[in-house]
Structure formats: C-alpha cells, structure tokens
Amino acid sequence: MYSAQHCFTRFKSAIDSYELPKRFTFPFYYEPHPLCLLAAKELQSYLSTQNDWQHNFGLNNTLENGLDDAADNKSTAIGKMFGVLLVRNSNGELGYLAAFSGKLAEQNLINGFVPPVFDMLTQGSFFQTGTLTLNQLTEQLQTLEQRPEIETLTVKLTELSSQADNELEAIRAKIIENRKARKSRRALAKAEQNPTLLNELNIVLGKESVAEKFQLKAAKQEWDNRCAEVSLQLEQLLGEIAELKAKRAQLSNQLQKQLFAQYRFLNPAGEFKDLNEIFNSAPNQQPPAGAGECAAPKLLQFAFSKGFTPLAMAEFWWGASPKSEVKQHKNFYGSCQGKCQPILSHMLAGVEMDPNPLLNNPAEGKSIEILYQDEAMAVINKPAEFLSVPGKSVTDSVYTRMKAMFPQATGPLIVHRLDMSTSGLMVIALTRDANKSLAQQFIARTVEKRYVAQVAGVVLGEQGEINLPLRVDLDDRPRQLVCYEHGKHAHTVWQVKSRNEKHTMLYLYPHTGRTHQLRVHCAHHDGLHLPIIGDDLYGSKANRLHLHAQRLVLNHPVTNERLTFEVDADFKLEA
C-alpha cells in the first residue's frame, strides 16, 4: 500500500515555467517556494472535494471564504496541519509527497498520504497491548478510589479528631480551674501559719495535680488509639491505591520508552536515531507528547527511505483554529520548535538549506529617532523589525544603540519593551533613579499606552474589551496560547479608528503588558478573530507588522509633570 510511487504525486498543472529551489527550505521560518504553493493548492483542492474519509475540520462556506467560523459543530471540530514535500524520484521526475500531523479521521494510514514513522495503532502491537493493560489498571484504580469505605473512614477520622480535641480541651480547662483553686487553698493555709497542716495540704494537692495529669494522659492515649485504629484501616485502603498508582506509572514509563524507541528517524547519510537518543540532551531528557507525529518528519522519513531527493517543503493549517492557539485556515507555518527542531536537526544534517533569516540583523541600516531628551530620560520612535534588547543571535538593539548614544547613562536604560516587529514609542531612562521611577509607573499601570493597528477584515461594532489569559506555547516558542488554567490575565480595550470594506484601523489600549498580547487578542477566535496585517506568527506576512505604539503618557521621573508623546505610524488604511 505504501510503495514509493503510491505516495508520489505528479503535478496536475504544467510546471515547465517554474524554477527549481536552489536549496532546501529552512523549516522553521520561510516563504513557501512557488512549486510548494502549487502542491499545497492541489492538496487543498483534494481536501475540499474528497469523499474517501470523514473528518470534522470545522469548515463551512464562511470559513472557506476566509470569514468567521460559524459551524454548528464547532466544539467537535479539529483542524489539522498538512505538509507537502517537493521531491525528485529515482527517475528524475518532479512531484510531491503529502502528510498530515497526528491522526486524521481517527486513522494513521490514509490513501495518498505518507505513513507515520511508527504506526502505534496497528492491531495487536505492543503499544495496543500495553495501552490495554494501562486502561485496565486505570479502571481498577477508579474502582478502588470510589469505594464508599474511604469516604466513611475519612469522615469518621475527622469526627474522632474533633471529639478528641473537644474532650481534651475540656479536661485542660478543668485542670486550669483546679490549679487556681489549689493556689487559693495554699494561700489560706499559709495565712493560718500552721506548718503541719500546710505540709499535709501540699501532699493532698500534689496528689490531685498528679491525678489530673494522669487523667489527661489516659484520655489522650484513648483517643489516639481510637483514631489510630481508624487511620490504619484508611491507610490500608489508600496504600492499595498508592501501590496501584506506582505500578501504573512504572508500566506507563516503560511503555513510553519502548514507544519512543520505535520512532527511528533517518537522514541522508543513512544514520538512524530514535526519539530517546534525539531528546537525550533536552532539559528533561523526555520527548514531548506527539513528537515524531508532525507532518515534516513523516515526509522526510518517507523520502529518505524510498530514495527520493527532497527539494523544498511547506506546511499549512486546514480547518478551524484550535481553542487555545491561533491558526488561520490555509495559512503556512514553520515547523514547531519544541517537537520538531531536535528531530529535523538530525534528519537534515548535511542538507544544504536556505539560511536562517532569524540570524540576520533586522536593524541593519535603520536609525532610531529621538523625540525627546533631557538629563533623566529620552523618548524614541523605534522602527519596525528592531529588537528592544539583544537577542541570542543578534545583539543590535535599542539597548545597544542607546548605550552607544548615551555612554554616561547609568542604570539598565530599558524600562519597557516593544516586540521586534512593532514600531513606536519607547521611553529610555538615563539614570538609575529615573529608571526606578519610570519602572514603578509601568508596574502600577499609571502609564497610558495607545497603539494603532490595522487588521485584515471588518470589525463589527465601535469599541469593546478582550480578556484572554495568555501563556507561552512550550512546544513552539515564542508563540503564545490562550490558557485559562495557567495563563496570565491579559486585558485589552479596542476602539475603531476607521474602516473600509476590507480592513479596519484600530486604537488598542493594553491594560496589561503580556508578550504578543495585542497580536493574539486581535487574531484569536475569542478575540476579534482578525489578525493584524503583517503578523507572521498569527496571521500572514506583509511588508511589515501593522502595529505601532502611537501614544505614551507618563509622569516625568524628576519633576513629576504629566507628559504626553505621540508619533504617527508609517502605514495607512489600505484600500
């Protein structure tokens, strides 16, 4: 079923006029080659018309036309990442391979798509058997955890502990009361000045005190014994649960390692490495969930194993956006960093690739405009595609430029940041005291910030608010996810500035300062569901990101005078 020619697709359109790629695609940031665009278009045509299998992508006519998704069954929709790999076969013919990430229509094997690196769904496989065993252990565990005796004993132990505390506290209170009475009796005996009677009284009072202590000790021991008896019964039940949990965890870990060993990835040199080896140097030495199931490694594995020569690659999203992520229907995306970067580093070793554009200095040839300057602070207009602080590979940034421009400045200079792709106003502290004052204003959120953004579509209404908590996508940094469980509160107020039939210009007021907050709040389906023009992470590339920090209002760090700065964006409402 999965011979080399079975998955090799010849172009339906004429390709004689196309130039071949000079080098293989840099997989994590790229512009799709025209032949990959053609292959993707043909694959998308098939996805739109096929009746070979059924999968709910959450598509309908409105989403197909690039509008909002209004599918009735949106809650069960699962969009998918698809990939195309331009290849040359052993006969020198050009064509392409297609793949999907994860499962499709609850299957790993679908006619016309390359197979997975390892099919864990194969009937009777060790994974199926191991999963069955784990499921049985889980059912046993649930049965044990739901036993009524556990709740009964837990309640009984709580009640006994409460009764013990109350009775012992009553005994202690009585002892304190009796101690005061004995003190009074001694005082009266001393007043009579009869040493013999006083000695006899002390003996009696001493015996009373000892008896009370014994009473408290005996009562405490009795309650301890009663509680210990119930606690032992409860511990025995919970011990069975803990033992079963440990057994399940051990079997799960063994099954996972065995599974990872089956995912063996090939490179052009004929070298194989499994997931355990590839992620051995990762921080936790553990491959993330779903590693090896993405489209890119599937495509390359099939190509190398069948003797195809990979020429270029592209991956696109098909369907409704996930609940937490921002993925646009038909948009192209680079391979993910967390799952794919270590795998592809091995698989593409020795392959001549396009240079990594992220290693280029985007600020080269650009200058920073100083809008305001005194001894304490400066306000600048940062160009788009200009780092605020040095990155891992590129050091040229607002910080390095300011350090060179103001060599006598003290303190960290940078008070707040703008995304590399965002242009606009930044305040620079030239003294430590100024930095402290300005930083406190940002922390207290007394600084007023207004951004102007142009989104790809028509925003309904004139103003509104967006509250979507954000956290980093651990598998694909620096992308952000909407996450109500672990995300940080993020609040944006928006207001329409102008609009036409295709685009809307907005004022955006971020009340919090999360990474990519405005970009995600605009693009996410629970936000405006309209990406900012030029947003290469959450929308589509353009000449630049149409996001500009246009207005900044703050107190001067020395005089405390309220200052307002404004600078217009270099983009206008597009026709």
Side-chain angles (χ1 to χ4, degrees), residues 472-490:
V472 69
D473 185 345
L474 298 176
D475 290 330
D476 200 12
R477 298 173 185 269
R479 293 177 64 88
Q480 302 293 307
L481 300 175
V482 171
C483 180
Y484 287 91
E485 184 178 1
H486 303 293
K488 294 182 179 180
H489 170 65

Side-chain angles (χ1 to χ4, degrees), residues 27 30 32 36-37 39-48 50 53-59 64 78-85 96-108 110-114 293-299 312-320 327-336 340:
Y30 59 86
C36 286
L37 288 174
K41 184 178 180 181
E42 292 187 3
L43 177 56
Q44 290 171 3
S45 176
Y46 164 74
L47 293 174
S48 297
Q50 66 81 30
W53 39 267
Q54 296 296 319
H55 182 94
N56 179 15
F57 290 106
L59 291 173
E64 276 288 292
I78 304 175
K80 281 287 171 184
M81 191 73 79
F82 287 84
V84 290
L85 180 66
Y96 61 90
L97 306 175
F100 51 85
S101 292
K103 294 185 293 184
L104 183 61
E106 295 301 318
Q107 301 174 63
N108 274 335
I110 290 183
N111 188 34
F113 293 95
V114 301
E293 289 292 330
C294 295
K298 286 184 181 181
L299 289 166
M313 181 177 65
E315 295 176 273
F316 63 88
W317 183 262
W318 185 265
K327 288 284 197 301
Q328 302 292 332
H329 180 53
K330 294 186 179 181
N331 272 17
F332 289 88
Y333 295 92
S335 298
C336 62
C340 290

Side-chain angles (χ1 to χ4, degrees), residues 45-172:
S45 176
Y46 164 74
L47 293 174
S48 297
T49 59
Q50 66 81 30
N51 293 306
D52 302 328
W53 39 267
Q54 296 296 319
H55 182 94
N56 179 15
F57 290 106
L59 291 173
N60 58 12
N61 291 332
T62 56
L63 188 56
E64 276 288 292
N65 292 325
L67 303 176
D68 194 3
D69 175 27
D72 293 334
N73 54 358
K74 183 177 178 180
S75 61
T76 59
I78 304 175
K80 281 287 171 184
M81 191 73 79
F82 287 84
V84 290
L85 180 66
L86 180 67
V87 294
R88 181 186 288 113
N89 66 13
S90 56
N91 297 323
E93 294 178 287
L94 284 179
Y96 61 90
L97 306 175
F100 51 85
S101 292
K103 294 185 293 184
L104 183 61
E106 295 301 318
Q107 301 174 63
N108 274 335
L109 303 173
I110 290 183
N111 188 34
F113 293 95
V114 301
V117 177
F118 173 72
D119 185 8
M120 66 176 72
L121 299 182
T122 301
Q123 197 69 27
S125 69
F126 78 90
F127 184 76
Q128 291 279 326
T129 304
T131 301
L132 179 61
T133 302
L134 284 176
N135 290 339
Q136 291 171 345
L137 288 176
T138 300
E139 290 177 4
Q140 294 177 34
L141 188 58
Q142 291 173 344
T143 301
L144 289 177
E145 290 176 331
Q146 293 170 359
R147 283 188 293 187
E149 299 96 312
I150 293 178
E151 184 177 359
T152 301
L153 290 172
T154 301
V155 171
K156 186 175 181 180
L157 184 60
T158 301
E159 291 176 346
L160 285 174
S161 297
S162 178
Q163 292 171 10
D165 290 341
N166 291 337
E167 182 173 319
L168 293 176
E169 185 60 33
I171 294 175
R172 291 189 185 96

Side-chain angles (χ1 to χ4, degrees), residues 91-307:
N91 297 323
E93 294 178 287
L94 284 179
Y96 61 90
L97 306 175
F100 51 85
S101 292
K103 294 185 293 184
L104 183 61
E106 295 301 318
Q107 301 174 63
N108 274 335
L109 303 173
I110 290 183
N111 188 34
F113 293 95
V114 301
V117 177
F118 173 72
D119 185 8
M120 66 176 72
L121 299 182
T122 301
Q123 197 69 27
S125 69
F126 78 90
F127 184 76
Q128 291 279 326
T129 304
T131 301
L132 179 61
T133 302
L134 284 176
N135 290 339
Q136 291 171 345
L137 288 176
T138 300
E139 290 177 4
Q140 294 177 34
L141 188 58
Q142 291 173 344
T143 301
L144 289 177
E145 290 176 331
Q146 293 170 359
R147 283 188 293 187
E149 299 96 312
I150 293 178
E151 184 177 359
T152 301
L153 290 172
T154 301
V155 171
K156 186 175 181 180
L157 184 60
T158 301
E159 291 176 346
L160 285 174
S161 297
S162 178
Q163 292 171 10
D165 290 341
N166 291 337
E167 182 173 319
L168 293 176
E169 185 60 33
I171 294 175
R172 291 189 185 96
K174 188 64 176 176
I175 289 175
I176 292 172
E177 184 180 336
N178 291 341
R179 187 181 298 135
K180 291 178 181 178
R182 287 193 293 271
K183 185 176 181 181
S184 298
R185 290 164 65 185
R186 284 194 187 93
L188 290 173
K190 286 181 180 179
E192 294 180 4
Q193 296 184 349
N194 187 331
T196 302
L197 290 176
L198 182 61
N199 288 336
E200 292 176 353
L201 180 63
N202 282 335
I203 293 172
V204 171
L205 295 179
K207 289 180 179 179
E208 290 179 4
S209 177
V210 171
E212 289 175 348
K213 290 178 181 178
F214 275 119
Q215 180 191 8
L216 178 62
K217 184 176 180 181
K220 188 175 184 304
Q221 185 64 54
E222 181 185 353
W223 282 111
D224 285 347
N225 291 340
R226 292 175 66 181
C227 289
E229 182 180 352
V230 176
S231 180
L232 180 61
Q233 297 177 47
L234 182 60
E235 285 176 5
Q236 288 175 342
L237 294 176
L238 296 179
E240 292 179 43
I241 293 174
E243 185 178 343
L244 195 58
K245 280 184 176 180
K247 182 180 179 180
R248 186 182 63 173
Q250 182 181 13
L251 289 175
S252 177
N253 187 52
Q254 291 173 351
L255 180 62
Q256 201 171 47
K257 284 187 176 297
Q258 188 179 1
L259 178 63
F260 292 153
Q262 307 307 310
Y263 282 84
R264 303 180 67 244
F265 298 91
L266 183 63
N267 66 17
E271 300 170 334
F272 280 96
K273 278 189 178 182
D274 65 35
L275 283 176
N276 291 315
E277 296 174 281
I278 288 173
F279 284 90
N280 187 47
S281 58
N284 59 359
Q285 298 183 329
Q286 184 81 0
E293 289 292 330
C294 295
K298 286 184 181 181
L299 289 166
L300 291 170
Q301 183 80 356
F302 190 82
F304 290 144
S305 64
K306 301 301 182 182

Side-chain angles (χ1 to χ4, degrees), residues 535-554:
D535 191 341
D536 56 359
L537 282 178
Y538 309 103
S540 302
K541 295 179 183 178
N543 62 320
R544 61 154 293 179
L545 176 68
H546 285 213
L547 180 63
H548 176 76
Q550 183 263 340
R551 191 169 189 262
L552 192 64
V553 183
L554 47 79

